[in-house]
Amino acid sequence: MIDALPNIESVYAKWEDKNPHFKNGKLTNHSESSAANGYDATIANGREAWKSRFSKVSAPPPRRVSRRQVNNKSRSAMIADYHMDYSLGASFKTAPSYHPKAGRLRPYSGLCCDCMPDSKNYLFTESIKSSGVTDVLRVNTGTSDNDWITRTFCHISFVMRQRLEHKYPDLTLAVLTSPRLLEAIQMTVQEADGSDAKISSIRQQQETKARSILVKMSASISNRLIRFTGWFLHKLLGRLLSSIVIHKGQMSLLQQFCKKEVPVIFLPTHRSHLDYILLTFVLFNYNIKAPYVAAGENLLIPFFGSLMRGLGGFFIRRKLDNSSKKKDYVYRAVLHSYMEELLRNNEFLEFFVEGGRTRSGKPVHPKGGLLSVVIDAYTNGVIPEAYIVPVSISYDKLVDGNFVKEQMGEPKVYETFWRAVLAIYKVLMGRYGIVRMDFAQPFSLKEYLEVSKFYPSLADVTFYNKSTMPALIDIDVCSSENMNKSLNMSVSDESVDQRGRETRHIVQCLAEHVVYASVSAQSILSTHLLALILLCEFRQGADLEVIKAAFRYLQSEILMRDHDVSFTGDTDIVLLHAQYLLGDRLVRKVTETDGTGGKKVVKLIPATTLPHVLELSYYANVVSPLLSIESVLVNTIYSIMDFEEWTELGSASHSTFSYHRLMQEATVLCSILKYEFIFCPPCQSLDIALKAGFDRLRNSEMLITDEAIIKDCGVSVQDIMWAKCFAKQLQIEDYDSEPEDWTTDNEVCMVNKEPDLRKKFMFFKRVLSPILETYYVAACHLVHLLEHDVPENDFVKSLHKILKERVATGTSSYAESAAMDTLRNAILGFKNAGVIQLYNEASIAMCCLTEDYNSEESLFIFIRRLESYQE
């Protein structure tokens, strides 16, 4: 930041010279002047008054008097003995006054998007923002107002007081007789050939199949089980977790919405198997009825499957069709009818738009399958309205292990009873810190569908250069046709026939809107910040004092973006606690002796080798979506400018660039990274998000846009920025007579040469560096597709082997670039950018280059672009 202290200190010095009580910046001994005005007498009288009030507090009063009478007598005595020195009151004109630092209110994150003003203003009051946070695990029955039994058995008393009056309906008959299911059975029967007896037999088989599917799928919620599980989780989670933190204002608003006779759809981010039960547990603590939770059939294991079913879980296949060639109409109809009947009865739903748990720490690109059922129910008139509630769940440390094996390319190990028992045993041996759950402001499905018709397409604001990126200029990255090709959605044939691509586009936009809202509501924990700082700035380790400064800076960046941080206290203690939770396997704590004074210094060293760096990067990636826009801009600037001649204190050989080119190139990079981040909600154009990120970089002084002023006036950047900040504090709105939006396409920009700001610049660059290295290596090996088409799985496996070999030989700059999840996203990103295309041949997914990139010249242009982002 611009150092304004020299300017302020000169003003303070003048103030102090005029004040007789100040000399050389310190208070002088002013006993002589105080004797004249009664200063010492005031202090003496004040001390006597306090002594008379508190010296004999333990002695009982001679007679029983009320506390108010005692306080009034003491206060009257103090006022009578105190003599105001009015001469001191006038010294404010000469001596600078000191104001205690005002406490900062917690940021309230998760406000509804501006595109839905009715939902944003509905039931929301400003008092909700300042409600503060609370710990769900702390029950309030242990106060002195309650009897001894209630205080002793506080958890039992608490769960028995919760109201569980809702009766969950039996939907078997309604589902089995639904028109959708009967039509699906008829379609299956018509596809079979044979006699009437055979057709009748097939019909009976399909009806029996539908009943067995429903029995296996449906939930059977028990209020008694919910109450018992609530008590059990209070006991269990109280031993494993420090706290489960929620915002009281968010819960107060959610309670008001849940009282309406309208279905509420909870859409949380998916990080752990604990997500299934944790949300129901929190809702139980606030007397909100349990939602029906969509879970994969892989969790339908002995005991645990029955437990989840009693808590609201209904089980669905990962793939709705057993065969890729033939659709299972009956299964699709049973699932659709079951969810439709739940919505018709105003039941609450919970499912994960990401599909499975995230393996990388970043939100998974959403899928719109189950969301399409909710939209169909509204458009078909089954429900008049529904409220959508994005939910973000953050863990200090994952309870159910890590995903290192899958990131290293090993196949997923499916859950079994004994694996679940062993996992629970391992969980009981550890401590997992804080869990933070944030509920974004609910919004109306009806209003969303009305305003979604006016959503802009990213193609309207895309800047492409035909000479450098021949295919990217021709591809509409957000057209409904291209988006439909990339979706793998589970919608009924009726929905496809009636609405087709338009409906898919709306569903996908809603899914992306939900994930973006969840990330916007997310709170950051200490382990996330520490992991990101170590991997982006101190990969070789650093002293605790050095890390502490970077930690505070990143914390301020998070708070500036209106995201809360779920930790308080001294920074040293917070960092050591985060290191304890991550463990020596990920972050080692080393105590060394300082060579100069023999002082002991604590040093933190991160794991930067496979496979442990993949687990550490998981926690770092929780923060990266919050910094993604700035990181895209910084990496784009890095690619535009020649940074090879940078020294530790120097600058690039080409120090200026145009704003227009920056926006143009950054948009191309965003299209390539589409499956890594959702840079903006569908209701907003990408150029607005990039402009906001550019403004944040400029306000932090990493970028300078006043080059012409600097050259003409010959003044320093610090003086200009100090003058602007001072004018802003004085609320001089017409400073320099600049319009509010003064950035133009032809504006010349430059990177600030200050060493501290350059370090911040490189920090933002390294947020995306491991991802861009993966993309670069994958692009270099696209040349193999010039010879012949390759099966996608074989191509991905060969690329992953190359990435791991680069790490083993020391060629790679970032070991975490060998993550399988990032590599798969790279293939999808190349497809979205129009470089490759995927097609099926004999039920095998094949990969080939597109016509625009089926030559060495055009392919090398794309490779050189990704190479320009490398350090």
Side-chain angles (χ1 to χ4, degrees):
M1 295 181 65
I2 299 302
D3 187 6
L5 289 179
N7 306 70
I8 298 176
E9 290 296 336
S10 60
V11 179
Y12 278 2
K14 295 179 181 179
W15 287 348
E16 293 169 2
D17 291 341
K18 296 180 181 180
N19 187 359
H21 300 324
F22 277 84
K23 186 175 182 180
N24 297 326
K26 299 180 179 180
L27 283 170
T28 60
N29 184 8
H30 48 278
S31 58
E32 296 180 0
S33 59
S34 62
N37 55 28
Y39 184 86
D40 289 342
T42 302
I43 297 297
N45 293 335
R47 288 174 178 171
E48 291 298 327
W50 280 100
K51 286 181 180 180
S52 64
R53 182 177 180 183
F54 295 108
S55 61
K56 299 180 179 180
V57 171
S58 59
R63 62 185 179 87
R64 187 179 183 88
V65 293
S66 65
R67 184 178 299 177
R68 180 178 297 178
Q69 290 175 338
V70 175
N71 291 341
N72 288 341
K73 288 183 179 180
S74 301
R75 189 179 295 108
S76 300
M78 293 179 65
I79 293 174
D81 292 338
Y82 183 81
H83 299 283
M84 175 69 74
D85 181 11
Y86 294 98
S87 61
L88 294 176
S91 64
F92 77 95
K93 293 184 178 181
T94 56
S97 59
Y98 171 77
H99 299 282
K101 187 176 180 180
R104 178 188 174 94
L105 292 176
R106 283 187 176 274
Y108 184 87
S109 55
L111 286 174
C112 186
C113 185
D114 292 332
C115 69
M116 292 174 282
D118 293 341
S119 297
K120 188 172 185 177
N121 298 323
Y122 184 58
L123 299 178
F124 188 82
T125 60
E126 289 298 321
S127 61
I128 290 177
K129 293 183 178 181
S130 57
S131 300
V133 296
T134 186
D135 181 9
V136 176
L137 297 178
R138 296 185 62 182
V139 298
N140 57 359
T141 58
T143 61
S144 58
D145 297 335
N146 295 305
D147 54 35
W148 177 84
I149 296 179
T150 302
R151 295 197 305 270
T152 305
F153 304 99
C154 57
H155 292 110
I156 295 178
S157 301
F158 177 77
V159 298
M160 294 305 295
R161 292 180 181 181
Q162 300 305 103
R163 297 189 302 271
L164 295 176
E165 303 170 351
H166 183 71
K167 294 183 179 180
Y168 297 91
D170 182 6
L171 304 175
T172 304
L173 181 61
V175 173
L176 295 179
T177 58
S178 64
R180 183 182 298 273
L181 178 57
L182 297 178
E183 183 180 352
I185 294 176
Q186 182 64 26
M187 291 176 60
T188 306
V189 170
Q190 289 176 354
E191 291 181 354
D193 296 330
S195 61
D196 294 342
K198 184 178 180 181
I199 291 176
S200 177
S201 175
I202 293 175
R203 183 183 298 276
Q204 290 180 359
Q205 291 176 3
Q206 295 300 317
E207 291 175 353
T208 304
K209 175 185 175 181
R211 182 178 293 274
S212 62
I213 290 173
L214 181 61
V215 171
K216 185 178 181 180
M217 176 190 298
S218 59
S220 179
I221 301 181
S222 169
N223 286 329
R224 292 182 179 180
L225 181 59
I226 291 175
R227 196 183 298 276
F228 172 79
T229 306
W231 168 82
F232 179 77
L233 290 178
H234 268 291
K235 290 294 186 181
L236 177 64
L237 297 180
R239 295 179 179 273
L240 300 179
L241 305 174
S242 301
S243 57
I244 300 176
V245 181
I246 60 171
H247 195 285
K248 291 187 287 187
Q250 293 176 353
M251 294 307 302
S252 174
L253 185 63
L254 181 62
Q255 284 177 312
Q256 297 181 61
F257 275 91
C258 291
K259 291 178 181 177
K260 310 290 182 181
E261 293 297 325
V262 173
V264 178
I265 317 298
F266 296 95
L267 303 175
T269 55
H270 198 10
R271 302 187 180 277
S272 168
H273 283 317
L274 190 60
D275 298 341
Y276 294 101
I277 300 177
L278 200 58
L279 181 59
T280 301
F281 172 68
V282 172
L283 297 179
F284 163 75
N285 281 266
Y286 282 85
N287 291 314
I288 299 175
K289 66 181 180 181
Y292 286 79
V293 187
E297 278 191 352
N298 58 307
L299 297 178
L300 196 56
I301 53 182
F303 178 74
F304 298 102
S306 301
L307 176 64
M308 291 188 62
R309 192 188 300 275
L311 296 175
F314 65 97
F315 302 91
I316 61 176
R317 298 174 186 167
R318 293 294 182 183
K319 295 182 179 180
L320 299 188
D321 302 316
N322 291 325
S323 174
S324 58
K325 295 182 178 180
K326 188 176 181 181
K327 289 185 178 181
D328 192 339
Y329 298 115
V330 174
Y331 187 88
R332 288 170 174 263
V334 170
L335 174 59
H336 198 293
S337 300
Y338 181 69
M339 292 184 62
E340 195 174 79
E341 291 301 323
L342 290 174
L343 294 171
R344 192 192 307 273
N345 286 270
N346 293 326
E347 297 297 331
F348 297 170
L349 290 180
E350 174 192 345
F351 53 88
F352 306 96
V353 292
E354 299 171 89
R357 292 170 294 168
T358 173
R359 268 60 178 170
S360 64
K362 304 186 300 293
V364 180
H365 196 74
K367 303 174 178 62
L370 296 183
L371 269 179
S372 65
V373 179
V374 179
I375 293 179
D376 279 351
Y378 171 78
T379 54
N380 293 335
V382 176
I383 54 174
E385 176 65 290
Y387 294 130
I388 309 296
V389 185
V391 184
S392 174
I393 307 176
S394 302
Y395 295 86
D396 244 339
K397 182 180 180 180
L398 279 183
V399 178
D400 47 358
N402 55 63
F403 304 98
V404 169
K405 291 183 178 181
E406 293 180 45
Q407 289 285 61
M408 290 292 292
E410 297 183 19
K412 178 182 176 181
V413 178
Y414 289 94
E415 292 79 2
T416 63
F417 174 78
W418 292 111
R419 284 199 184 99
V421 172
L422 180 61
I424 291 175
Y425 175 77
K426 291 180 179 179
V427 166
L428 295 176
M429 298 296 104
R431 295 285 293 177
Y432 301 92
I434 296 173
V435 174
R436 176 68 185 261
M437 186 176 294
D438 290 282
F439 294 84
Q441 186 177 358
F443 63 87
S444 164
L445 176 63
K446 179 180 179 180
E447 184 179 14
Y448 165 80
L449 293 177
E450 291 177 353
V451 301
S452 63
K453 302 174 183 177
F454 308 101
Y455 280 178
S457 172
L458 291 181
D460 298 335
V461 293
T462 302
F463 309 100
Y464 292 130
N465 189 337
K466 282 189 176 182
S467 62
T468 58
M469 298 292 288
L472 287 178
I473 184 64
D474 298 324
I475 186 169
D476 183 353
V477 297
C478 277
S479 67
S480 59
E481 180 179 359
N482 186 62
M483 195 167 287
N484 289 333
K485 292 179 181 179
S486 64
L487 292 177
N488 182 19
M489 296 169 46
S490 305
V491 294
S492 65
D493 287 343
E494 179 183 349
S495 175
V496 173
D497 293 337
Q498 291 180 353
R499 301 167 188 87
R501 296 171 180 175
E502 181 181 355
T503 299
R504 288 190 172 189
H505 178 67
I506 293 175
V507 171
Q508 182 65 18
C509 286
L510 176 57
E512 293 181 3
H513 213 301
V514 167
V515 173
Y516 186 87
S518 299
V519 173
S520 300
Q522 185 176 26
S523 297
I524 302 302
L525 306 179
S526 58
T527 53
H528 307 157
L529 291 185
L530 178 60
L532 184 67
I533 290 171
L534 291 176
L535 290 180
C536 291
E537 193 166 354
F538 305 111
R539 294 183 71 88
Q540 304 303 320
D543 294 345
L544 187 64
E545 291 297 321
V546 178
I547 296 175
K548 183 166 64 174
F551 187 89
R552 288 174 176 170
Y553 164 73
L554 187 55
Q555 179 181 350
S556 66
E557 286 287 330
I558 298 301
L559 293 173
M560 185 182 68
R561 288 163 172 76
D562 290 330
H563 287 266
D564 199 3
V565 291
S566 292
F567 53 85
T568 57
D570 186 76
T571 308
D572 293 336
I573 299 175
V574 172
L575 287 172
L576 293 177
H577 177 68
Q579 184 275 330
Y580 165 76
L581 290 175
L582 293 173
D584 292 335
R585 192 164 44 88
L586 302 184
V587 180
R588 289 190 297 118
K589 183 179 72 172
V590 179
T591 304
E592 300 177 347
T593 303
D594 190 359
T596 58
K599 182 181 178 182
K600 291 185 177 180
V601 178
V602 177
K603 190 174 183 180
L604 300 182
I605 304 174
T608 56
T609 58
L610 293 175
H612 301 313
V613 68
L614 295 175
E615 185 177 357
L616 186 60
S617 66
Y618 179 97
Y619 295 99
N621 285 337
V622 177
V623 191
S624 58
L626 280 59
L627 311 175
S628 59
I629 284 289
E630 287 89 333
S631 186
V632 164
L633 291 169
V634 168
N635 276 278
T636 303
I637 295 170
Y638 192 94
S639 68
I640 293 174
M641 303 167 66
D642 182 10
F643 278 67
E644 294 181 356
E645 300 180 10
W646 270 46
T647 61
E648 184 64 25
L649 300 178
S651 63
S653 58
H654 305 292
S655 58
T656 61
F657 54 90
S658 70
Y659 173 82
H660 174 72
R661 186 182 177 190
L662 174 61
M663 294 295 107
Q664 187 179 37
E665 302 290 339
T667 305
V668 174
L669 182 56
C670 286
S671 69
I672 298 173
L673 299 177
K674 175 185 176 182
Y675 291 92
E676 298 288 347
F677 306 99
I678 298 178
F679 295 101
C680 61
C683 61
Q684 184 185 94
S685 58
L686 181 59
D687 60 339
I688 295 177
L690 291 173
K691 174 65 168 57
F694 178 84
D695 289 340
R696 286 192 292 269
L697 292 175
R698 182 176 59 186
N699 294 337
S700 65
E701 302 167 26
M702 281 185 275
L703 297 182
I704 304 171
T705 56
D706 292 322
E707 184 188 6
I709 301 176
I710 296 170
K711 290 182 177 179
D712 294 341
C713 302
V715 296
S716 65
V717 181
Q718 288 83 354
D719 290 337
I720 292 176
M721 298 304 297
W722 186 89
K724 287 190 173 184
C725 293
F726 187 71
K728 185 177 180 180
Q729 293 294 328
L730 296 178
Q731 297 181 351
I732 301 177
E733 298 179 356
D734 58 345
Y735 179 76
D736 271 356
S737 300
E738 290 181 342
E740 184 176 355
D741 186 7
W742 50 274
T743 301
T744 61
D745 288 347
N746 297 323
E747 183 179 11
V748 176
C749 312
M750 62 183 295
V751 179
N752 200 323
K753 302 177 183 180
E754 294 295 326
D756 291 341
L757 295 175
R758 180 179 178 271
K759 289 181 180 179
K760 296 177 182 177
F761 183 90
M762 295 305 296
F763 172 83
F764 277 102
K765 189 217 175 301
R766 292 176 183 133
V767 171
L768 289 182
S769 290
I771 297 174
L772 292 174
E773 181 175 337
T774 305
Y775 280 58
Y776 169 64
V777 175
C780 289
H781 290 81
L782 291 177
V783 293
H784 298 298
L785 299 180
L786 291 171
E787 302 172 0
H788 54 80
D789 299 352
V790 179
E792 182 188 3
N793 286 336
D794 295 344
F795 186 56
V796 170
K797 288 179 180 179
S798 63
L799 286 176
H800 193 242
K801 182 179 179 181
I802 292 170
L803 286 168
K804 290 190 289 186
E805 289 175 352
R806 282 171 51 87
V807 175
T809 58
T811 308
S812 175
S813 301
Y814 300 92
E816 56 267 39
S817 64
M820 175 62 79
D821 190 74
T822 307
L823 180 57
R824 293 191 182 279
N825 288 340
I827 300 300
L828 294 175
F830 295 163
K831 176 180 178 293
N832 182 68
V835 180
I836 64 173
Q837 70 181 47
L838 305 176
Y839 66 94
N840 288 328
E841 184 177 287
S843 302
I844 299 176
M846 302 293 292
C847 183
C848 67
L849 292 172
T850 59
E851 183 178 351
D852 291 323
Y853 282 90
N854 200 15
S855 65
E856 291 187 359
E857 182 181 359
S858 58
L859 187 58
F860 286 162
I861 292 175
F862 180 72
I863 294 174
R864 283 196 296 269
R865 169 178 289 276
L866 291 176
E867 183 183 15
S868 64
Y869 302 120
Q870 309 304 310
E871 295 185 36

